[in-house]
Amino acid sequence: MIKVAFASTDRTRVNQHFGAAEGFVIYEVTPDKATLVGVGEFAEEAMDGNEDKLTAKVEFLDGCAAVYVMAIGASAIKKLMSKGVQPIRINEVDTVDDLLAEISKAMNDGGVAWIDRAIAAQAKARAEDRFASMEDEGWQG
């Protein structure tokens, strides 16, 4: 399972610039289904000169593997990447449902770098958690 966000005003299409986005929807995606798990709404803001607007959005997206946007600036890309969130810019207004279907298919088929990285990172975290739990229970190596 990976979490993916979409910059959207109507929760059905990706139609927002990251910095000026008034809304995000977050889905948990598996190879078989996608489940809406979060909606964030933000006040309308000026596009330029307000770096503070990015902080709340980046924090809201913490834990997501990626965010789909219409456009995004360099400072937002840097902040997202430092949190492990892959920004994905699309050229046209795509529907969230179509993108979710593509993500699910890629989870099954592999070959999409950011999805493969997100799945590998989760597997590594699960293994580390398992070993930490065993150590807490007194297991010796």
Side-chain angles (χ1 to χ4, degrees):
M1 182 276 302
I2 59 174
K3 288 168 83 174
V4 182
F6 303 89
S8 178
T9 56
D10 62 8
R11 302 181 189 172
T12 61
R13 296 171 294 133
V14 176
N15 61 0
Q16 292 275 278
H17 181 288
F18 182 82
E22 295 173 32
F24 291 94
V25 290
I26 297 177
Y27 283 83
E28 286 183 347
V29 186
T30 69
D32 303 317
K33 68 177 182 167
T35 305
L36 178 67
V37 295
V39 176
E41 294 182 356
F42 298 88
E44 186 176 344
E45 302 203 40
M47 291 282 281
D48 295 324
N50 183 6
E51 291 301 309
D52 290 341
K53 71 179 182 275
L54 300 177
T55 303
K57 293 171 183 168
V58 171
E59 287 176 6
F60 177 73
L61 299 175
D62 193 29
C64 289
V67 59
Y68 283 77
V69 298
M70 288 289 290
I72 187 167
S75 60
I77 290 171
K78 186 176 179 181
K79 288 177 189 246
L80 287 167
M81 295 296 284
S82 74
K83 292 280 193 180
V85 181
Q86 174 70 52
I88 300 170
R89 191 176 73 76
I90 58 172
N91 292 321
E92 55 191 62
V93 179
D94 285 326
T95 69
V96 171
D97 286 344
D98 288 346
L99 293 167
L100 289 168
E102 288 176 17
I103 295 165
S104 287
K105 182 174 179 354
M107 289 178 80
N108 273 323
D109 299 347
V112 177
W114 73 265
I115 293 173
D116 294 344
R117 277 193 309 271
I119 291 169
Q122 283 189 347
K124 181 179 178 196
R126 277 195 301 275
E128 289 170 359
D129 288 348
R130 191 177 103 231
F131 290 125
S133 296
M134 290 171 68
E135 187 176 356
D136 292 344
E137 293 170 3
W139 286 76
Q140 300 285 323

